[in-house]
Amino acid sequence: MAAPPKKAFPLRLDPALYGAIERSAATDLRSVNAQVECLLREALAKRGVKLADPVRAKRGRPPKEGEA
């Protein structure tokens, strides 16, 4: 089962802000996109906005026929 599609939209950022996010992402071993999503989730949680946990794509080899 694939993860649900994500909403794509353009985002314009100050180059210095993007650079800071890029460095933070590298430190956390994440992509810039994943880091932005993580930072947004943290900011919303800090404000008391509750979100459902993100649906993660299943990783690894799919089960063989007959296995569950």
Side-chain angles (χ1 to χ4, degrees):
M1 179 175 178
K6 292 191 175 197
K7 175 70 176 165
F9 68 97
L11 177 64
R12 289 177 289 280
L13 296 173
D14 178 88
L17 177 59
Y18 184 86
I21 294 170
E22 196 171 34
R23 289 188 300 275
S24 177
T27 301
D28 293 345
L29 300 175
R30 290 189 179 115
S31 67
V32 171
N33 188 74
Q35 189 71 355
V36 168
E37 190 171 340
C38 183
L39 292 170
L40 287 171
R41 286 181 179 280
E42 287 176 3
L44 288 171
K46 192 173 181 180
R47 288 180 168 228
V49 177
K50 297 185 185 232
L51 293 172
D53 288 335
V55 176
R56 293 188 177 19
K58 291 185 179 181
R59 298 185 62 142
R61 184 175 295 173
K64 294 181 181 178
E65 288 291 320
E67 292 182 15

